[in-house]
């Protein structure tokens, strides 16, 4: 039992260490229910924005020990403590009305549900045109053009 706990702890540390070794720019998400963006890389810098949205996709554009300069879906940039971020890939529905989430990656397939602008979901897989997305207990396929949280041409597996 104790060996399993130690193994799990080491695995978590390895995951955090690998996340800190990434070279920007890269995608991540907010891991915490509350996360403060600051004007500089330190707690002594003023807070500029308090995020209360777990899984919100962000783009890491610069690193500094234990801090990441991020860009949010609205284009705001600032610094966030690395422990408030996750490697989990997520996306947000772009503005402009509801978007269809299909049963299959094909516009002719039935619509499973519709997602409103601003809805956040977890990305499980993306190809050149479609992403498999999970929003709560629902999942399906959404056109890449309908979401923010991916580089052009990027594939997620």
């Amino acid at each position: 039992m104790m060996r399993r706990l130690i193994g799990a702890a080491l695995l978590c540390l390895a995951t955090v260490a690998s996340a800190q070794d990434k070279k920007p720019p890269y995608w991540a998400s907010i891991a915490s229910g509350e996360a403060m963006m600051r004007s500089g890389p330190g707690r002594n810098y003023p807070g500029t924005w308090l995020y209360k949205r777990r899984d919100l996709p962000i783009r890491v554009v610069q690193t500094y020990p234990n801090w990441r300069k991020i860009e949010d879906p609205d284009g705001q940039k600032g610094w966030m403590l690395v422990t408030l971020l996750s490697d989990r890939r997520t996306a947000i529905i772009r503005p402009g009305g509801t978007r269809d989430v299909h049963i299959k990656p094909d516009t002719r397939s039935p619509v499973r549900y519709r997602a409103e602008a601003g809805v956040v979901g977890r990305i499980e897989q993306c190809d050149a045109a479609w992403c498999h997305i999970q929003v709560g207990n629902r999942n399906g396929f959404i056109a890449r053009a309908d979401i923010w949280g991916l580089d052009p041409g990027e594939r997620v597996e």
Side-chain angles (χ1 to χ4, degrees):
M1 174 78 167
M2 186 62 141
R3 285 184 181 170
R4 287 183 188 168
L5 290 174
I6 292 171
L10 290 174
L11 183 60
C12 288
L13 289 174
T15 302
V16 170
S18 70
Q20 293 178 5
D21 291 340
K22 287 185 176 182
K23 301 288 183 225
Y26 64 89
W27 293 95
S29 60
I30 294 178
S32 175
E34 283 194 358
M36 180 65 71
M37 177 189 281
R38 297 187 176 276
S39 61
R43 292 182 192 262
N44 57 328
Y45 288 91
T48 56
W49 196 257
L50 177 62
Y51 294 90
K52 293 189 174 193
R53 189 136 191 217
R54 185 173 189 205
D55 284 344
L56 185 73
I58 54 95
R59 184 162 176 80
V60 175
V61 296
Q62 189 177 345
T63 62
Y64 186 80
N66 296 323
W67 291 87
R68 300 295 178 261
K69 186 171 188 180
I70 66 164
E71 180 179 358
D72 73 11
D74 295 327
Q76 296 293 316
K77 290 184 182 175
W79 292 88
M80 195 170 285
L81 194 59
V82 72
T83 57
L84 299 174
L85 302 178
S86 169
D87 282 340
R88 180 179 291 126
R89 291 301 300 268
T90 63
I92 188 168
I93 308 299
R94 292 184 183 273
T98 59
R99 307 301 169 104
D100 294 339
V101 180
H102 295 267
I103 291 174
K104 296 180 181 177
D106 183 342
T107 55
R108 296 172 300 214
S109 75
V111 172
R112 178 163 281 161
Y113 62 96
R114 290 184 172 82
E116 293 188 16
V119 167
V120 172
R122 294 182 179 181
I123 298 173
E124 299 176 2
Q125 196 174 11
C126 296
D127 63 20
W130 293 90
C131 287
H132 186 263
I133 191 167
Q134 181 177 350
V135 178
N137 293 329
R138 297 178 171 187
N139 65 68
F141 293 88
I142 190 165
R144 285 178 67 112
D146 292 341
I147 57 176
W148 185 88
L150 296 159
D151 290 325
E154 178 187 10
R155 292 185 184 271
V156 176
E157 296 180 5

